[in-house]
Amino acid sequence: MNRIKEVLKDKGISQTWLAEKMDKSYPTINEYARNKRQPSLEDLYKIAEILQVNAKDLLVDSENKIGK
């Protein structure tokens, strides 16, 4: 599971924009965002760099800790 969709929404960035920056197709990014497909580690780090977040933030919601 990833949080790509949530991070894009929080930053006001479209999936289309990310697809262009990643040189990937929109359907690929959309599958990542809907958790229908997981990005490779290389792509995950590239997404994090483009969105200017820590890669961990794309995987774990630091505000919703286990046991809350």
Side-chain angles (χ1 to χ4, degrees), residues 37-54:
R37 178 174 163 187
Q38 295 302 313
S40 67
L41 283 177
E42 181 181 344
D43 282 347
L44 184 72
Y45 280 104
K46 188 172 181 181
I47 292 168
E49 182 179 327
I50 290 168
L51 298 179
Q52 298 179 339
V53 297
N54 188 308

Side-chain angles (χ1 to χ4, degrees), residues 12-56:
I13 295 172
S14 72
Q15 293 178 29
T16 302
W17 181 87
L18 181 59
E20 290 171 3
K21 292 289 183 183
M22 292 281 300
D23 198 28
K24 300 270 185 193
S25 69
Y26 171 81
T28 296
I29 298 301
N30 184 258
E31 287 177 350
Y32 292 166
R34 294 183 305 130
N35 281 298
K36 298 292 183 184
R37 178 174 163 187
Q38 295 302 313
S40 67
L41 283 177
E42 181 181 344
D43 282 347
L44 184 72
Y45 280 104
K46 188 172 181 181
I47 292 168
E49 182 179 327
I50 290 168
L51 298 179
Q52 298 179 339
V53 297
N54 188 308
K56 180 180 169 186

Side-chain angles (χ1 to χ4, degrees), residues 3 6 10 59-68:
R3 298 187 59 249
E6 290 87 357
D10 289 347
L59 300 172
V60 178
D61 186 352
S62 60
E63 294 180 13
N64 291 325
K65 305 230 185 284
I66 295 172
K68 256 191 163 178

